[in-house]
Amino acid sequence: MTADTMPTRSCPNVFDAGLPILAYEHVQNPDQAHQLIAQARNRAPIAMGTHGPELLTYELVRSVLRDPRFRVPQGMFLASQGITSGPLWDRVATNLISLDGNEHHRLRRLVSKPSRPGRPHGCARRSSM
């Protein structure tokens, strides 16, 4: 096979899917943003936002958050800024949102009950002890 017979893409690409374009960073209030999001959601469950694809339905967001293939990179994008070690890296890389699997679930169980809606004072009492 030569280069001119090689297909340019062998699998579907989100950028070629004809998704609605969603830009709401310029709006003056949250109601305008919600209106733009609702219009895009009427066309498709995913839109192309300013920074990449945006999920627009609860069901889709929930399934992606529960899928281990979708995860926050270790260090939360610090590596792309050239930071891969040191105190900032250590702090961010061990944060609950940066952890995966059993360690994430262990820490989440520790903080979930006192920080659930309706219990903000329970969390404050424990943290001040």
Side-chain angles (χ1 to χ4, degrees):
M1 185 176 271
T2 64
D4 32 13
T5 60
M6 180 71 81
T8 56
R9 291 198 176 111
S10 59
C11 63
N13 183 313
V14 69
F15 300 103
D16 297 333
L19 298 173
I21 304 297
L22 182 57
Y24 49 83
E25 292 174 341
H26 66 284
V27 300
Q28 299 300 312
N29 65 58
D31 290 334
Q32 290 175 323
H34 288 288
Q35 185 178 14
L36 293 172
I37 293 168
Q39 290 170 359
R41 187 177 34 244
N42 286 336
R43 292 188 49 216
I46 302 172
M48 287 306 297
T50 306
H51 304 287
E54 296 189 23
L55 308 178
L56 304 177
T57 66
Y58 173 83
E59 295 80 15
L60 191 54
V61 170
R62 182 180 166 125
S63 64
V64 167
L65 287 174
R66 293 180 179 274
D67 189 326
R69 294 173 295 174
F70 296 94
R71 61 188 269 301
V72 175
Q74 185 179 20
M76 295 179 60
F77 310 103
L78 288 176
S80 65
Q81 298 171 30
I83 302 170
T84 57
S85 63
L88 178 61
W89 174 267
D90 294 341
R91 174 76 174 184
V92 172
T94 58
N95 190 309
L96 177 62
I97 199 168
S98 293
L99 299 173
D100 288 315
N102 292 335
E103 186 63 9
H104 173 87
H105 293 295
R106 183 186 74 78
L107 289 174
R108 184 170 174 172
R109 277 192 302 274
L110 290 172
V111 300
S112 64
K113 282 188 181 182
S115 61
R116 71 179 184 256
R119 299 258 334 236
H121 301 295
C123 197
R125 278 194 300 269
R126 287 190 178 121
S127 64
S128 62
M129 293 181 174

